[in-house]
Amino acid sequence: DYFLLRPRRHEDIPEGIPLPGLEPLSAAVTHLPAGVLLQPTFTWSRIQPDGHLLMGLHPLLFGLVGAPSQIELLPNGEQVGKGAPLARIKKGNRTLTVRAPVAGRIVEVNHAVPGETDWRGPETGGWLYRLVPGRAGAIVTDWMAGEQAQEWTRRQYQRLREHLMTLAVGPEMVRTMADGGEVPAGILATLDDAAWTEFEHTFLGQ
């Protein structure tokens, strides 16, 4: 029943950024817009003409957590170090911490994320920060674009599948994923705190 729509109770949503409905996780693997650079931290960026970065989180993370959830952001003007916490995706009392791929200063926070959580447009897509990088000439050495970024995302999706199959997600779900079935959106919400900690350490750790 991971694939069935089920009625949900109306709940009070805490303050923050509400996330809209989600595409299948495979959409984040196959759809990669031009001009988007991926980082191993599961973040993405677009370099602007003035050298600033528009930065967001990889759609795979939103798909794994599921909707509704919230994003906890740093304030405007914050100086962030490379590898320091950049944003937290929250669902209930659980969080995933995403770390910064580069040091810099936040000069704009996009609190009005529109009806998508992806990277479709530099002004209308789901970017979260405008950031002035500390060393603009040295930030892209391990960042990925084009076919390299698509291949990285495909590898991470396969890693996710294999990782989830080692957890207690139920025998039916294990068989489904083993047979090549879709990793269901929101699957992390079905797992316990230890699984969230292990996922963060494995995929989002420094």
Side-chain angles (χ1 to χ4, degrees), residues 10-190:
H10 293 288
E11 298 176 351
D12 292 331
I13 303 299
E15 291 186 1
I17 300 177
L19 300 183
L22 300 166
E23 292 182 308
L25 268 66
S26 58
V29 179
T30 57
H31 300 158
L32 181 68
V36 165
L37 296 171
L38 293 188
Q39 296 88 35
T41 49
F42 280 82
T43 54
W44 61 267
S45 301
R46 289 179 187 267
I47 301 177
Q48 301 300 284
D50 57 6
H52 293 181
L53 301 176
L54 293 184
M55 186 168 292
L57 307 185
H58 201 297
L60 273 177
L61 297 181
F62 295 132
L64 288 166
V65 172
S69 48
Q70 303 287 317
I71 311 175
E72 185 180 289
L73 297 177
L74 298 173
N76 192 17
E78 183 84 359
Q79 191 77 30
V80 60
K82 183 177 181 179
L86 180 70
R88 289 183 172 90
I89 305 176
K90 304 174 65 175
K91 187 163 180 87
N93 60 355
R94 296 169 180 162
T95 64
L96 289 178
T97 300
V98 182
R99 298 184 177 275
V102 64
R105 180 171 56 88
I106 297 169
V107 294
E108 185 178 356
V109 181
N110 183 11
H111 288 288
V113 176
E116 56 195 36
T117 55
D118 62 16
W119 38 37
R120 291 178 217 177
E123 301 302 332
T124 60
W127 63 273
L128 300 178
Y129 299 111
R130 182 183 292 271
L131 184 138
V132 180
R135 297 179 60 196
I139 61 175
V140 297
T141 55
D142 62 346
W143 294 9
M144 300 160 284
E147 292 183 3
Q148 183 185 16
Q150 287 183 315
E151 179 58 28
W152 181 87
T153 300
R154 283 193 291 268
R155 289 199 308 269
Q156 299 312 306
Y157 182 76
Q158 185 59 37
R159 283 185 66 209
L160 289 167
R161 289 169 56 87
E162 294 170 357
H163 178 77
L164 291 167
M165 287 172 62
T166 68
L167 303 177
V169 296
E172 292 298 328
M173 182 52 59
V174 169
R175 283 195 292 270
T176 297
M177 290 193 293
D179 291 339
E182 177 78 38
V183 176
I187 190 171
L188 280 183
T190 69

